[in-house]
Amino acid sequence: MQRYPEPEAALILERAAELQRQAEDVMRMTVAELEEVASSAGINPVYVRRAAAELTLRQSRRDRSSPSVGGPRTILFEVTLDGEIPVPAYEYVIEAVRRHTGELGVASLIGRSLTWTAHPSHSRAGPGWSRSIALTIVPRSGRTRIRIEEKLDQLVRSVFGTLLGGLGGGGAILPIIPLAILGLPGLIPLGMGVWVASAWSLGRTVYRKRVEAREFELHCALQSILEIAQDYIGTPQLESH
């Protein structure tokens, strides 16, 4: 087997990496190329753009479910697109996020990067149900990274604290009364355990429904941001991370 000196080995590896990058580029198609192919097949390019956006949005999900609470503790969408969203577009981006989430927030600009965070004291959800939403848009080197994240710790505390404090805590006396009347005090611990477990199960259901509603709002907000980007930089090629 032939052995190569270190300089030649480095050149071989460098060339191999270059060939791999070229092969990967050939396998990728831009949205414009997909539209061209679709047009020759009689498919309206509008639907190609819509399908590409929907696929990217599905792939942009980064949250992980927590079995104990029945859903994720963080909602996260992140995409990168070709082209840079200009600063004048941020006004419309912020309005889109406010419209879909119903939350007021504070925006800051560092260079050309935008950060917007929901303001807890102005939450439409009311005291104890405030939302922790953060949007960041970073245009750099001909690309733009868009990230929307909502931490759900407050929602976990509100849902499970309310249910366990009411049904699972003070409400746990309800199964005690009939067991005591029937003269079955030995079953009281079991009855309380079943009652608390039922309250937790109900909490998981309520939590999951609320998370799904918030996910839908953030999904719609991201879709609107991508439409704004399209107005400013044309039809971008989207990538999920």
Side-chain angles (χ1 to χ4, degrees):
M1 179 178 297
Q2 183 176 356
R3 302 181 67 85
Y4 296 93
E6 185 174 338
E8 292 183 4
L11 290 174
I12 291 173
L13 292 174
E14 181 179 355
R15 177 56 178 163
E18 181 182 355
L19 291 172
Q20 179 174 325
R21 286 194 299 270
Q22 292 175 354
E24 290 174 349
D25 289 339
V26 170
M27 294 172 65
R28 295 193 184 102
M29 295 183 70
T30 65
V31 173
E33 291 170 339
L34 289 170
E35 289 178 356
E36 185 176 350
V37 173
S39 180
S40 64
I43 301 174
N44 192 318
V46 170
Y47 298 110
V48 174
R49 292 193 294 272
R50 184 179 301 174
E54 289 177 355
L55 176 62
T56 301
L57 286 171
R58 286 198 298 270
Q59 295 175 339
S60 68
R61 288 283 301 276
R62 289 290 170 272
D63 46 67
R64 295 181 180 179
S65 181
S66 175
S68 62
V69 296
R73 299 179 70 99
T74 299
I75 301 172
L76 175 60
F77 292 94
E78 186 172 8
V79 296
T80 298
L81 54 85
D82 285 342
E84 297 186 2
I85 298 180
V87 171
Y90 292 162
E91 175 184 354
Y92 305 103
V93 167
I94 294 171
E95 191 278 329
V97 176
R98 288 174 175 171
R99 182 175 70 253
H100 287 292
T101 65
E103 299 292 321
L104 298 178
V106 178
S108 61
L109 195 64
I110 301 178
R112 293 181 296 120
S113 298
L114 170 70
T115 299
W116 179 91
T117 54
H119 201 295
S121 62
H122 293 86
S123 176
R124 65 172 180 174
W129 297 88
S130 59
R131 301 178 64 174
S132 177
I133 305 173
L135 163 71
T136 57
I137 297 180
V138 182
R140 183 181 300 163
S141 303
R143 314 188 89 184
T144 301
R145 180 171 61 86
I146 304 171
R147 177 186 176 98
I148 302 180
E149 180 179 19
E150 179 173 3
K151 295 186 181 300
L152 303 172
D153 294 338
Q154 181 62 43
L155 181 62
V156 172
R157 289 192 293 268
S158 297
V159 170
F160 291 94
T162 299
L163 287 172
L164 293 180
L167 296 178
I173 194 174
L174 295 178
I176 296 177
I177 296 174
L179 290 174
I181 293 174
L182 293 173
L184 300 172
L187 295 180
I188 290 178
L190 177 61
M192 293 182 62
V194 171
W195 187 264
V196 172
S198 298
W200 188 269
S201 178
L202 176 60
R204 284 166 51 89
T205 300
V206 172
Y207 180 77
R208 183 167 58 251
K209 294 297 183 183
R210 287 187 174 269
V211 169
E212 288 174 354
R214 295 189 178 190
E215 285 177 338
F216 179 75
E217 291 179 355
L218 297 184
H219 181 280
C220 291
L222 180 56
Q223 178 66 60
S224 294
I225 293 172
L226 294 179
E227 291 172 357
I228 293 169
Q230 181 176 332
D231 290 339
Y232 278 88
I233 61 179
T235 304
Q237 181 178 356
L238 303 169
E239 294 183 6
S240 59
H241 296 274

